[in-house]
């Protein structure tokens, strides 16, 4: 037969003990505390308590280690104290129930058995914790879920100056940090895989850390505030909520306490690196197909990588005293994120360029045959497409990158149209149609804008400052007047 899964029991502590077996009157009963004090004088109390705790272990503690749920009931009278219990294995346990049960048992023993006599309390509790300690250590080795409770339990014993076997605190801290690292990475994984396509505008002034950004840490002068090194700056752009939250969590992980130990600092450092590696591992795969079909998604991903680059450069500066932690840097990750972002942008630029070329494929023949209506339809389709795409990208991208991208696509469009015009033989009657067609292409200049007012508004930028080939279009268009 198997072991029972439930049961009950009780422990009675009589405050007065009959010295002769069979006596039924309390006239000559000896107070229990006096007997314990006498045993202590004879150096026999430790042995007595050891035997008592052995019995207690088999009655209660053994069931606790098996995962039983206990319901305790304590009753006290003038002559005795009784603790009774019901236990059951296989019932869902409340959080911290094990430690609450241990607290109930030890409080009952010290108050009823010893009447809170301070000189005897350490002897009893030392015997109790000699039995408890191996089980707590085993529990710690199996699972880190209770590591904080175990640590707190031993801290309380230290504060009360109660003798107890020493817990391997360093091991406890390492296991606790590993558990925290695991939980943090799970949160980051869930964050990155969720369907959240919202963005947030970031500027130099909104960011903490980073070269030239705001910092909440104090330097050697004891003052916080913005750094003034402009070697690296962050242009205003929109990044995904995912990466914005990721960076904030990285800073939280790397924000040390004043008494941060070496093992904790190292764990925080590698946790932060793993958080960034998760971005590399998850986002490109989940967005790979959508980035080719949706240029805006690709550009936001590029912004995310640029945003991470900005913070990666000086993440190792972020410490409690403003000093760089020797040997710990994120700089080696910089080329990886730069290549990751640029590769996606270049792929989208090539795809859009090829689509423009394909859309204008029949323009040369149409020009040569004088069928300008077909030319107008093809050019208009590409101009409208380019302007719609430009309006979407303008609000999310960094100005310098946006102007470079839109200039590349505009150059492709203008070059193909002008090359076709050069081979065309048009009579005077069709030149006004050609001027109208080139006017449509010229209207793209409206999309050449840069961010101002801290990224909140836009103003026009002359196309020739971005692409000098624009002057050729202006010259031809002007000569057709």
């Amino acid at each position: 037969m198997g072991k029972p899964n439930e049961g009950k029991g009780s422990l009675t502590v009589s405050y007065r003990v009959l010295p002769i077996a069979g006596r039924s009157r309390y006239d000559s009963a000896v107070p229990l505390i006096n007997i314990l004090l006498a045993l202590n004088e004879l150096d026999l109390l430790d042995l007595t308590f050891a035997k008592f705790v052995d019995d207690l272990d088999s009655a209660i503690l053994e069931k606790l280690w098996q995962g039983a749920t206990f319901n305790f009931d304590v009753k006290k009278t003038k002559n005795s104290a009784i603790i009774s219990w019901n236990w059951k294995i296989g019932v869902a346990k409340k959080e911290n129930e094990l430690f609450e049960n241990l607290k109930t048992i030890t409080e009952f023993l010290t108050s009823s058995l010893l009447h809170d006599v301070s000189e005897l309390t350490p002897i009893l509790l030392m015997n109790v914790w000699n039995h408890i300690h191996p089980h707590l250590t085993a529990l710690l080795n199996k699972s880190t879920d209770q590591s904080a409770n175990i640590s707190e339990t031993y801290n309380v014993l230290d504060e009360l100056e109660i003798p107890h076997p020493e817990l391997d605190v360093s091991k406890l801290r390492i296991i606790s940090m590993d558990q925290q690292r695991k939980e943090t990475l799970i949160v980051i994984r869930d964050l990155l895989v969720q369907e959240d396509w919202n963005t947030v505008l970031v500027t130099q002034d909104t960011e903490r850390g980073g070269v030239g950004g705001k910092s909440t840490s104090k330097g050697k002068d004891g003052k916080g505030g913005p750094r003034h090194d402009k070697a690296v700056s962050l242009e205003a752009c929109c990044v995904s909520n995912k990466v914005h939250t990721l960076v904030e969590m990285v800073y939280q992980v790397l924000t040390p306490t004043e008494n941060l130990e070496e093992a904790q600092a190292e764990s925080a450092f590698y946790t932060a690196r793993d958080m960034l590696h998760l971005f590399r591992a998850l986002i490109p795969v989940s967005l790979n197909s959508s980035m080719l079909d949706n240029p805006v998604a690709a550009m936001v991903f590029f912004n995310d990588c640029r945003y991470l680059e900005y913070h990666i450069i000086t993440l190792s500066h972020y410490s409690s005293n403003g000093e760089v932690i020797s040997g710990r840097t994120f700089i080696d990750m910089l080329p990886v994120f730069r290549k990751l972002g640029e590769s996606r942008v270049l792929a989208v630029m090539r795809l859009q360029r090829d689509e423009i070329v394909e859309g204008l494929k029949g323009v040369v023949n149409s020009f040569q045959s004088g069928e300008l209506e077909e030319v107008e339809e093809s050019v208009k389709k590409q101009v409208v497409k380019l302007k719609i795409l430009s309006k979407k990208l303008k609000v999310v991208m960094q100005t310098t990158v946006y102007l470079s991208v839109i200039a590349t696509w505009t150059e492709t469009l203008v070059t193909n149209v002008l090359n076709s015009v050069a081979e065309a033989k048009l009579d005077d009657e069709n030149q006004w149609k050609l001027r109208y067609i080139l006017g449509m292409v010229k209207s793209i200049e409206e999309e050449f804008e840069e961010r101002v007012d801290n990224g909140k508004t836009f103003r026009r930028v002359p196309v020739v400052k971005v692409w000098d080939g624009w002057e050729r279009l202006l010259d031809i268009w002007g000569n057709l007047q």
Side-chain angles (χ1 to χ4, degrees):
M1 295 180 63
K3 295 182 180 179
N5 292 327
E6 58 183 319
K8 60 183 179 179
S10 63
L11 172 65
T12 302
V13 176
S14 299
Y15 298 150
R16 299 174 67 85
V17 181
L18 294 172
I20 301 176
R23 293 286 297 272
S24 59
R25 297 178 62 86
Y26 283 85
D27 295 344
S28 59
V30 180
L32 175 61
I33 191 63
N34 290 350
I35 297 176
L36 296 177
L37 289 171
L39 291 172
N40 187 40
E41 290 294 329
L42 297 172
D43 291 330
L44 296 175
L45 186 60
D46 191 62
L47 182 62
T48 302
F49 280 158
K51 179 62 174 67
F52 170 75
V53 175
D54 281 337
D55 295 337
L56 183 69
D57 192 9
S58 60
I60 301 179
L61 299 180
E62 183 179 344
K63 304 295 188 306
L64 284 176
W65 313 134
Q66 294 174 2
T69 298
F70 274 77
N71 292 316
F72 289 100
D73 182 35
V74 177
K75 296 181 180 179
K76 293 186 179 181
T77 66
K78 179 180 179 181
N79 298 316
S80 64
I82 302 175
I83 180 172
S84 55
W85 59 84
N86 295 310
W87 61 270
K88 191 170 185 179
I89 296 177
V91 179
K93 301 177 69 174
K94 299 178 181 178
E95 186 179 3
N96 304 336
E97 182 173 330
L98 170 63
F99 301 92
E100 292 296 329
N101 289 336
L102 292 175
K103 181 180 178 181
T104 300
I105 295 169
T106 53
E107 287 180 348
F108 173 79
L109 294 177
T110 54
S111 62
S112 60
L113 190 62
L114 303 181
H115 286 276
D116 297 320
V117 177
S118 59
E119 62 181 290
L120 302 183
T121 300
I123 302 175
L124 172 62
L125 292 182
M126 187 63 179
N127 279 277
V128 172
W129 284 97
N130 275 332
H131 279 70
I132 292 176
H133 175 77
H135 295 286
L136 291 184
T137 303
L139 178 64
L140 178 62
N141 290 333
K142 290 181 181 179
S143 172
T144 59
D145 293 341
Q146 301 290 351
S147 59
N149 296 325
I150 295 174
S151 179
E152 181 62 25
T153 300
Y154 279 82
N155 289 338
V156 171
L157 293 177
D158 290 333
E159 292 174 2
L160 298 177
E161 299 182 353
I162 297 174
H164 60 82
E166 289 299 325
L167 182 68
D168 189 348
V169 179
S170 61
K171 182 178 181 181
L172 177 65
R173 288 175 178 170
I174 292 174
I175 294 179
S176 178
M177 288 186 294
D178 288 343
Q179 177 69 13
Q180 185 177 8
R181 180 179 182 181
K182 183 189 302 183
E183 293 173 353
T184 300
L185 294 179
I186 290 174
V187 171
I188 295 299
R189 180 202 63 192
D190 294 342
L191 168 72
L192 295 177
V193 299
Q194 67 184 4
E195 296 290 332
D196 181 7
W197 308 108
N198 294 318
T199 59
V200 57
L201 177 65
V202 294
T203 66
Q204 185 84 20
D205 294 334
T206 63
E207 298 307 298
R208 65 167 174 170
V211 177
K214 289 186 176 180
S215 172
T216 56
S217 61
K218 295 182 179 180
K220 293 181 179 180
D221 58 356
K223 299 179 180 180
R227 298 186 177 100
H228 301 289
D229 185 354
K230 300 298 183 180
V232 178
S233 61
L234 177 66
E235 281 192 69
C237 64
C238 290
V239 299
S240 66
N241 278 342
K242 295 179 181 181
V243 78
H244 191 257
T245 304
L246 170 64
V247 169
E248 178 60 28
M249 293 186 67
V250 167
Y251 276 112
Q252 291 178 10
V253 168
L254 291 176
T255 303
T257 60
E258 293 182 358
N259 299 320
L260 191 66
E261 295 185 357
E262 177 64 20
Q264 293 172 307
E266 183 175 1
S267 177
F269 170 71
Y270 285 108
T271 298
R273 287 184 65 94
D274 287 345
M275 292 165 69
L276 297 174
H277 282 310
L278 277 177
F279 176 87
R280 289 178 52 202
L282 297 177
I283 297 299
V285 175
S286 62
L287 294 180
N288 188 48
S289 58
S290 62
M291 280 192 287
L292 291 177
D293 299 333
N294 184 359
V296 177
M299 297 309 175
V300 171
F301 175 77
F302 173 76
N303 290 348
D304 288 348
C305 292
R306 277 286 180 95
Y307 184 67
L308 290 174
E309 290 174 35
Y310 170 77
H311 286 283
I312 282 172
I313 291 175
T314 52
L315 271 176
S316 56
H317 287 265
Y318 200 77
S319 59
S320 60
N321 57 6
E323 296 292 334
V324 178
I325 303 176
S326 176
R328 298 195 183 114
T329 179
F330 295 83
I331 298 300
D332 61 299
M333 304 180 76
L334 185 61
V336 177
F337 281 98
R338 181 164 294 171
K339 181 178 180 181
L340 188 62
E342 290 179 352
S343 63
R344 295 303 187 277
V345 169
L346 292 175
V348 170
M349 291 179 66
R350 284 192 292 267
L351 180 62
Q352 294 298 318
R353 180 199 62 193
D354 293 343
E355 290 183 359
I356 293 173
V357 173
E358 183 66 24
L360 298 175
K361 201 169 185 179
V363 169
V364 174
N365 294 332
S366 297
F367 265 121
Q368 291 177 345
S369 62
E371 299 174 355
L372 296 190
E373 288 80 7
E374 295 183 7
V375 174
E376 178 183 343
E377 183 179 353
S378 298
V379 173
K380 182 178 181 179
K381 183 178 181 180
Q382 296 304 317
V383 169
V384 171
K385 178 181 177 181
L386 187 55
K387 293 176 75 170
I388 292 175
L389 186 56
S390 299
K391 284 179 170 59
K392 293 180 179 179
L393 297 181
K394 186 191 311 178
V395 296
V396 299
M397 297 183 67
Q398 296 176 348
T399 292
T400 54
V401 179
Y402 163 74
L403 292 176
S404 176
V405 169
I406 197 65
T408 300
W409 291 336
T410 301
E411 179 182 6
T412 301
L413 175 62
V414 172
T415 301
N416 279 267
V417 171
L418 294 185
N419 288 343
S420 301
V421 171
E423 299 182 17
K425 297 180 180 179
L426 302 175
D427 54 28
D428 294 338
E429 295 181 1
N430 285 331
Q431 287 194 8
W432 68 271
K433 291 184 179 181
L434 175 59
R435 187 173 189 277
Y436 174 74
I437 293 173
L438 295 182
M440 285 194 302
V441 177
K442 182 177 176 296
S443 67
I444 297 176
E445 65 183 348
E446 299 172 359
E447 306 306 324
F448 282 76
E449 294 183 325
E450 63 181 356
R451 290 181 181 271
V452 292
D453 191 21
N454 207 18
K456 298 178 181 178
T457 58
F458 296 87
R459 68 182 177 191
R460 185 74 62 85
V461 176
V463 182
V464 291
K465 288 188 176 182
V466 183
W467 174 52
D468 54 12
W470 185 253
E471 291 182 345
R472 181 186 174 196
L473 172 67
L474 297 180
D475 290 341
I476 297 176
W477 180 78
N479 292 331
L480 290 174
Q481 295 187 20

